[in-house]
Amino acid sequence: MDTKTHSLSLANPAPQNMNAMQKLSVAIGLTGLFIFALALFNVQLLFKTAWLYVAIIFILAGILIYSLSTYKKLPPGIQNNGVYFKSISAKGVWGWATGIVLTLLYVFLYWFPQYLGMGKEGNNNTGLVGFFDPLSYFLNGHAASQWFVYGVLYTMAIVGFGFKFLLKYRHNKYQQVRTISVMFFQLGFAFLIPEILTKLNPTIPYFSKDVKNMWPLNYYFFEDWHLKAMLEGGNLGMFILLFGLAMIFIISPVLTYFYGKRWYCSWVCGCGGLAETAGDPFRHLSSKKLNAWKFERWSIHTVLVLIVLTTIAVLYTFLGDPANKTWITKDEFTIGVVIFLSVVIAVIFIFKRKQLDKDVKYTLAALGIIVVGSILINFLSGQKNILFIDSNQLRSWYGFAIGAAFSGVIGVGFYPLMGSRVWCRFGCPMAAILGLQQKLFSRFRITTNGGQCISCGNCSTYCEMGIDVRAYAQKGENIVRSSCVGCGICAAVCPRGVLKLENGDEKDRFNPQAILIEKDKITLAG
Amino acid sequence: MNKSHEHIVIIGNGISGITTAREVRKKSSQPITVISAESDYFFSRTALMYVYMGHMKFEHIQPYEQFFWQKNNIGLVKALVTKVDTSVKEVQLDNGEPIPYDKLVIASGSKPNTFGWPGQQLKGVMGMYSKQDLEYLEACSPGCKHAVIVGGGLIGIEMAEMLHSRKIGVTFLVREAGFWGSVLPSAESEMINRHIREHHINLKVNTKLVEILADSNNNARAVVTDKGETIECQVVALTAGVTPNIAFLQGSGIELGKGVKVNPFLETNIRDVFAIGDCAEQHEAIDLRKQVEAVWYTGKIMGETLAQTLCGNRTAYDPGPWFNSAKFFDIEYQTYGWVWPTPRENEVQFYWEHPGGKKAIRIAYNKNTRTFLGINCFGIRMRHQFFDKVLREQLTVDTVLQNFEKANFDPELFTTYENDIRAAFQKNHSKLMTANGY
Ligand SMILES: Cc1cc2nc3c(=O)[nH]c(=O)nc-3n(C[C@H](O)[C@H](O)[C@H](O)COP(=O)(O)OP(=O)(O)OC[C@H]3O[C@@H](n4cnc5c(N)ncnc54)[C@H](O)[C@@H]3O)c2cc1C
Ligand code: SF4
Ligand code: SF4
């Protein structure tokens, strides 16, 4: 192996010193965080409420000033100088430190919220959670929870770093509009509207009021407590339930057909929103190795099978309980699921068999066999639980392993080590469904511009989903990949104008209309 | 699948040599050996700058993972070919046994031009072509406050961007009246001049290098220009073009000119010896191209063409309409067909520049037939397929402009300028804008 290969870029390039403004902005932002730290350790502050707002404003101002002092003085264009020289973005000490802090934050959020000050068993909040009480009362009329704190920080991150992203890509309108969109959906749909709706409807039980957060990303949508809450939630509850169903079965398939999965993953989704804004400095860290791709396809489809199973099991139990008043019976539901899944699988196999990779075939087969098979067994044997497993158990495993550990701890905690889309790429069942549709029934593709590719590798390097874009571009082939979230960064960083995200006629999506003579479709191993 | 057992030996693991190897392997299982002295694995020469600027690591500019070569049974040898003996059909190496061949492909690329400038051998003076050049620049960078670049072409401007990214001051000496004046018409050249200066590069046009001065340790310490100016610097980059890298073939009996002389089938005067890529020189130029074409994609097409021949389907090199692209700091450039710096006979040029001064197009067409001849695009991406078709079918400039929306390749939601461009065209080049099928 060529060891010099690695030393080359690490040969101590000129340090990328911060200018005075940047230093000032970092100091302002850290002051804000420091106030949070004081609150976390229960340091008693006079005018506590005022300090909360001061801290929030300082952090946002810090990010704002940093962004302005970094990008405003440079002519508009791609700003990737030194990405692989900076400790934070090249898995150096700062990268690791950030990864560890983020990971710990998630561990506390999910499993030890009391250390963040969450009051247990009716006790008042203290610490950081208590610090956020005033804002929580103001917005939703309740005391804060660790999730409220998380929601505020999450939204601040998307809005603050979204602003930074807007400046960084101020020459690129696609990036700007897309980023304003994720900022809007996070601030409005994920944060403000649900809080305000909660305040306006103080008596109804809790259910998710974030209409854009759809199943199966929102894996508890069909859980019994959530269904009950929506059913008992009056008009609002009914609206959320119906809208949620419409999202899954109508809105999403239609939009994905016309625009690809990007309409969700990089324009609307909150997980995507964080990845595209706060996660942007880490996007290049995703592995482009063939083995990573192989792993990805198995892991993401496994999660999909798991969530479908869990949801069916939970719904089955829910419907089997005579205490729940619902429109359909357990048996009708079972028949419905069997028919629906059989039709979906049959349509895919009949019309798109040729485009299916092996892992997708196995996934579909697994879904088909497990789901249809076990439903029939249970149906015929009259059991209460599907699959012979207690649905509650299944659900709590899923919640722990996938909902918390995977999407939170690994998904965000590992940003500085594995790139910003670890969850979206390896875990998100929503991405799996949208991806399947994107590959098979969609007008979206990335067009390769004839023979202009110079194999430089910028596109592959900066693809947060770890897609080896160059492998297609240098052959003059279009890119039609289920995992592509349509962020458009590959097209932005390409120095030769080779890539264009487009929606167009389905029939010439794959066409490698290469200008070079490489027209025979024989491929090489690898 | 071709079952031949003939051993194909390829000198050079650049885009030309590697394309040949890959394409042959698709069609045949015969033994293939690729020899290169530069690197273990194929990398993209065009991307060297991004490694220096920290956009990527060296591993990222290698388009294939390391397992690829073994898996596809392509033999890689790291050695310098010192001599080719065509009488016994073998190549001699600096570090091992000679390698016998049945078919020999010479894809040895180029080397930077030097013009015998006094001081060009000093420490800190370099070209920018190979991985070793990049390593040398890396080694020189820590002590470097100021650098001088000599030669206003594509590699020169890349060097300026590279050095500037490391906060090294840059003086850029350009012999012509503006950047890349031998290729770009003056308006575009002027636009790029402005942009170079916007990036705080000290651009000196109409200026030639006279000599490079040394300090007591034989390090470059300054350059002297023909304007009598002495510019202090620690690094001098010589980027005044490239020439074929063929010195090791002297005396081999293979016919050499500027490069390795080849016919349209990329065959040399010696049976079973072929040459492709930067190092090949056509006996006669193809359409308006140069006899030696030192660009990425022509190397690729030559590699694909030669693979056909090597696998029994003798094929002539037919590159189709000319195209190319580059990026000058933040301004992307694409060109399709021929646009000359000054119009040739019967040729008219239409130029449009955006008021912001960073987007422009120039279209050349035949003033009698109105046939579209070529386009230069700055800051607006255009669709290769569109112009490939236009040029092959010799459509008119009017047809092109009527269908200009279809040519646009900018990302979605970008502001488009087709109407502005058409309006500007109609003003001075009106003739016709009738509907006319593209
Ligand atoms: C910095 C830079 C940027 C460029 N950017 C662009 C661009 O944007 N667009 C574009 O179209 N073109 C660009 N070019 C030109 C393009 O890279 C070349 O045309 C192309 O790489 C030539 O490929 P090749 O395979 O013919 O030769 P090379 O890539 O030069 O490969 C030849 C290989 O053979 C090896 N070799 C030579 N002699 C021997 C020997 N005796 N023994 C063993 N090995 C030997 C060399 O070390 C080298 O590794 C750029 C060139 C440079 C230097
Ligand atoms: S392929 Fe391009 S658009 Fe798709 S996810 Fe990767 S970088 Fe984004
Ligand atoms: S960034 Fe553009 S030129 Fe570079 S490898 Fe990707 S498609 Fe090709």
Side-chain angles (χ1 to χ4, degrees), chain A residues 446 459 462-465 467 469 483-490 501:
Chain A
I446 303 177
C459 52
Y462 285 89
C463 175
E464 56 191 349
M465 295 303 284
I467 299 173
V469 183
S483 60
C484 169
V485 292
C487 64
I489 294 293
C490 53
L501 283 64

Side-chain angles (χ1 to χ4, degrees), chain B residues 244-262:
Chain B
N245 179 13
I246 51 168
F248 68 103
L249 296 171
Q250 296 292 347
S252 63
I254 300 169
E255 188 187 351
L256 305 177
K258 218 178 146 212
V260 182
K261 290 280 196 181
V262 293

